[in-house]
Amino acid sequence: MKLSLGRRIAVAATLGLVLLANAACGAVTPAGTASSGGGEFKLADYIKDAVDKGQPLKIKLSYHDPSLAFAVPIRQGMERGAKEFGVDAQMIGPSGGNPADQVAELQTLINQKQIHGLAVSSASNDALKPVIAQAYDAGIPIISFNTNNPESKQMGFVGQDLVASGRSLAKELLGVLKGKTGKVVVASVDSGAGWSNDRFSGFQEGVKDSGLQIVGPVNTGNEPSAAYNTIESTMAAQKDAVALVALDCCSFTAGAKWLQQSGNVGKIHSVGFDVQPQTVDYLKAGVVDLTISQAPAEQGYQAVKLLAEYLKNGTEIKSVDTGVLVVTRDNLADVPVEG
């Protein structure tokens, strides 16, 4: 006999399920009795009714900038999860990564009571924290994906440990440089974003006492030609740089294009993130040394899975670390292209 969601709540409470102390690293108990960041989570009545009646469940993934190339594989993973778990999943978000626009869109969705689960990737942790709390307090299951917001009321996180990924990038760069010291130019499509700050702090920590001098992070923006021009002008002022490092996919490809067109391939080392089609081409051609994958398709898939299984089966929400995979020419053939 299939229990209604309300009955599962009573059963869960009877069994004495409890929230692990740290929701960002642990699990959230099913059936609307969890707490995250203070206060008890109670599933909204309209969501309970939709689940009990077997109505189509609507899950939204709010990505901080869907126009980024990195959004493509996340969306693909989301669509795979939606099909597998029988839910209606959709990616939303502001083009250009404006936090105020993302907040406004999310507030509208919450107030309309038209969504049953929400995953957010924060353009700005501080800006998104209140709206995450608003969703939580309104009884909407909410997690973060891609960019973590551990000080918020999120009920879990799906994605890469960004600080750790920055440290990994630093370790790989030191291996590539083989003791060589000098200036390292660091680029980011959005140097003020929380994800960029986290990754950069990990990178700084990783190169501490190495003799390398960090220049940046230089903000390139997301528009390809503008990003290229920013890299070009920056490198013109840093002619003695030994490496060009990117904190994301798009500043990485802009930097690789500059290396190729300026004749600096082999003279300036380059490492960065993600496995976009362009990145693959540059890696094969020896323009860049290596890249780090954070499994974006898996982020989209797991975000849908966590929310769908929580709603449908009362399954605990457990954070998922998609890890760090270093991709070189040697293992490139075994790694899926992200886009």
Side-chain angles (χ1 to χ4, degrees):
M1 179 180 69
K2 183 177 180 181
L3 297 175
S4 70
L5 182 63
R7 178 60 178 154
R8 291 200 303 271
I9 293 174
V11 172
T14 301
L15 291 175
L17 294 174
V18 295
L19 175 65
L20 295 183
N22 187 344
C25 300
V28 174
T29 60
T33 58
S35 63
S36 177
E40 184 178 276
F41 177 76
K42 295 182 180 180
L43 198 66
D45 289 339
Y46 80 90
I47 299 178
K48 292 180 186 177
D49 290 342
V51 174
D52 290 343
K53 293 175 182 177
Q55 296 175 352
L57 299 178
K58 298 178 181 179
I59 292 174
K60 304 290 188 185
L61 271 64
S62 175
Y63 189 57
H64 56 266
D65 189 352
S67 67
L68 291 173
F70 191 75
V72 174
I74 293 178
R75 185 181 289 108
Q76 292 170 342
M78 176 197 72
E79 291 170 349
R80 177 166 62 91
K83 183 177 181 181
E84 181 174 336
F85 298 102
V87 296
D88 177 5
Q90 179 186 9
M91 178 178 283
I92 59 173
S95 179
N98 187 319
D101 292 341
Q102 187 179 20
V103 168
E105 183 177 46
L106 289 171
Q107 287 177 329
T108 298
L109 285 172
I110 294 167
N111 293 331
Q112 288 177 342
K113 298 184 178 180
Q114 295 295 312
I115 55 173
H116 306 109
L118 184 59
V120 297
S121 174
S122 303
S124 163
N125 280 12
D126 290 339
L128 267 288
K129 202 172 296 180
V131 80
I132 289 174
Q134 183 182 347
Y136 182 92
D137 294 341
I140 301 170
I142 182 162
I143 64 172
S144 290
F145 74 101
N146 185 243
T147 60
N148 199 1
N149 202 335
E151 301 304 318
S152 72
K153 282 190 173 183
Q154 67 184 30
M155 298 166 71
F157 171 64
V158 175
Q160 187 179 73
D161 182 326
L162 295 171
V163 176
S165 72
R167 287 195 294 263
S168 294
L169 190 68
K171 177 183 177 182
E172 296 301 325
L173 176 64
L174 294 176
V176 165
L177 291 176
K178 298 178 180 178
K180 190 175 183 179
T181 59
K183 292 181 180 178
V184 174
V185 175
V186 180
S188 170
V189 294
D190 188 355
S191 59
W195 62 264
S196 182
N197 291 332
D198 287 347
R199 195 167 270 165
F200 182 59
S201 69
F203 181 79
Q204 284 181 303
E205 181 183 330
V207 299
K208 186 179 179 181
D209 301 325
S210 66
L212 295 174
Q213 179 186 344
I214 298 176
V215 177
V218 177
N219 190 73
T220 67
N222 183 41
E223 201 283 316
S225 60
Y228 177 89
N229 291 338
T230 299
I231 294 287
E232 183 178 44
S233 60
T234 300
M235 298 307 291
Q238 307 295 337
K239 295 183 183 297
D240 54 346
V242 298
L244 176 56
V245 172
L247 301 178
D248 54 84
C249 63
C250 304
S251 63
F252 193 25
T253 52
K257 181 179 179 181
W258 175 82
L259 286 170
Q260 193 172 58
Q261 295 191 358
S262 65
N264 279 293
V265 174
K267 301 175 184 177
I268 299 176
H269 290 282
S270 184
V271 298
F273 283 90
D274 306 321
V275 193
Q276 298 291 312
Q278 281 183 298
T279 308
V280 170
D281 292 340
Y282 287 127
L283 195 54
K284 286 180 178 178
V287 177
V288 299
D289 294 273
L290 57 87
T291 189
I292 290 180
S293 172
Q294 54 181 316
E298 190 67 10
Q299 292 181 9
Y301 172 81
Q302 289 291 340
V304 172
K305 179 183 178 181
L306 290 187
L307 291 169
E309 290 193 332
Y310 174 80
L311 290 166
K312 290 191 170 188
N313 307 316
T315 305
E316 292 179 330
I317 292 179
K318 295 182 178 180
S319 294
V320 178
D321 185 353
T322 54
V324 170
L325 175 62
V326 178
V327 183
T328 67
R329 286 180 287 280
D330 294 335
N331 67 344
L332 183 59
D334 301 322
V335 179
V337 178
E338 299 166 354

